[in-house]
Each structure stands twice: as C-alpha cells, then as structure tokens.
Amino acid sequence: MTGFADFRALYTVRSWTLGWMSRVLCQVSFFALAGRLLADEEATRFLLIGNAVSIMVLEASVVVASTAWERASGTLPLLVAAPVHPAFVFFGRSLFGVAVGTVSSSVALLALAPLFGVALPWPAAVLVVPLITLVGFACYCFFLVLAGLALRATHLRNLVSNVAALGLIAFCGVQVPLVFWPSWIQAVAGFLPLTHGLQAVRLLLDSAGAGQVVAATALELLIGVGWLVIAVLTFRGFVESGRRDGSIEFAD
C-alpha cells in the first residue's frame, strides 16, 4: 500500500501516459530504428523485442532506491522491530514496479510491433504478458538483493541500481545475442534474471515449440526464486549486524 501510494504521489494519469510512456515508446523505437538503418528485418525484430522487455528492468530497479529511502527517513528501526522478516516487507514495498513494468513493456511491444512491421503470432502473442511479469519478478528479486546491500551505503543506491540495470541490458541478450559475448560472460548471464525470460519471450513470438518456451520459463522462475532466497539472507545479515552494533539508524 505504501509503494502504490508513492507511485500515485509521483505520477498522475496524464504525467505517466504523456511522460513515462512517451519516453518508453521513444526509447524502444530508437533501437528498432537502428535495425531499420541496417536494413535488416531480423535485427529490427531482435532489437524491438529485447528493448521492449528490458523496460521491466528499469521498473524493477526502483526497489533499490525505495529501500534506501526507508533508512533515510528513519523508519528502518521500526520495520526491524516488527514481528515479520524485513525482506518480505521490502519485497512488497516496491512491488508496484513489477505491475507498472508489465504494462509499460507490454504496451511498448504490442503497440510498436505493427508499426515496425514485426509480425506477432496472434492470439498466442498475448501470452507474452505473463512472461513479462515473470521477468519482472526475477529482476525484482535480483534488485532486492542489491537493495539489501545498498542499505549499508545508501548514498550509492542510484549508482548501484543504474550499473546493475545497464549490466543486465548489456549482457542478457537485449541488444546483441548472448553468443556475441565471451563464454565466461555467457556463463554468468545464465544465472542472471532477464536472460531466460527474454529467451522465452523470443521463442514464443517466433512460434517455437511449447517445450522450449516452458523450459526457458522454468529457468527464469528458478533463477528468480534463487535471488529471492539470497535477498532474504542479505536482509537477515544486515539486521543481525545492525542489532549487534546498533547501526540501524538514520543514514548520513
């Protein structure tokens, strides 16, 4: 409830539609136009799909900043004192980012695809919406880990979230195929969110077999749950160390 209240304070229907969504559509169009410039239909398709789904990464990264805000506002000691694990409090704190990101990414993909001549397999293409939500969940859990770490140095929150978001976009198959990168980067990307979820989206839109889509989807879900477990451990470590040395207080 607090997270959605924050969202309503930041945006009106008009500012979100004409401000944020116009930025999203322009950003995805920019990269799709790069494919047009190359006169390559496959490149246009690859870039449009990848960049539309990657909007979810930006939306999910907000949890790093919002978690740091709690320490800056002095509410963290109260949350730690509450009879519930703080990781689950903060999991819900910015969950609106996944909901809003699903809308942003889905609208960008489904609205821009016809404009750039990117064929989608209707009506199967509507299944891309829950897949984007899954990508959002996995990315959100990943950023929740970084949020727990950023609590120790809140002044680095924006640097941490931006570098991590750009890293996911660079290495997880958004702009170039995974095979473009050295094998060790491909191996690391296999444990990052977005990689397998984006692959599932591409397979679905390329009318691949159901088994391939399900396998990529299952991997994305497994990785998301794995990052959630790490997030719980990260917050537990922060709380326990803060209780020992009394460091849970206002941030500088």
Side-chain angles (χ1 to χ4, degrees), residues 42-216:
E42 284 303 312
T44 302
R45 180 183 182 85
F46 186 91
L47 289 167
L48 189 146
I49 294 173
N51 283 279
V53 175
S54 73
I55 295 300
M56 179 59 87
V57 176
L58 304 179
E59 296 275 17
S61 67
V62 72
V63 70
V64 179
S66 65
T67 300
W69 294 341
E70 295 296 339
R71 189 169 195 186
S73 62
T75 57
L76 190 58
L78 299 175
L79 294 176
V80 170
V84 64
H85 198 291
F88 297 108
V89 175
F90 285 111
F91 179 81
R93 176 67 177 79
S94 297
L95 200 57
F96 69 88
V98 177
V100 177
T102 298
V103 176
S104 300
S105 290
S106 300
V107 169
L109 176 60
L110 300 178
L112 293 178
L115 297 180
F116 285 92
V118 174
L120 300 179
W122 297 101
V126 298
L127 295 177
V128 78
V129 176
L131 285 179
I132 288 175
T133 302
L134 175 60
V135 170
F137 164 76
C139 290
Y140 187 77
C141 293
F142 170 76
F143 282 108
L144 195 63
V145 173
L146 300 182
L149 297 175
L151 280 173
R152 301 177 184 271
T154 56
H155 62 287
L156 296 177
R157 62 187 182 277
N158 292 332
L159 177 64
V160 168
S161 61
N162 288 334
V163 170
L166 291 174
L168 292 180
I169 292 171
F171 301 124
C172 293
V174 173
Q175 311 294 7
V176 293
L178 285 176
V179 294
F180 172 85
W181 299 108
S183 57
W184 68 270
I185 292 183
Q186 296 180 44
V188 172
F191 293 95
L192 295 175
L194 180 63
T195 301
H196 301 288
L198 177 56
Q199 182 185 24
V201 171
R202 294 192 190 281
L203 289 169
L204 174 69
L205 297 181
D206 289 342
S207 300
Q212 292 177 285
V213 177
V214 170

Side-chain angles (χ1 to χ4, degrees), residues 29 35 121 164 239:
S29 296
V239 170

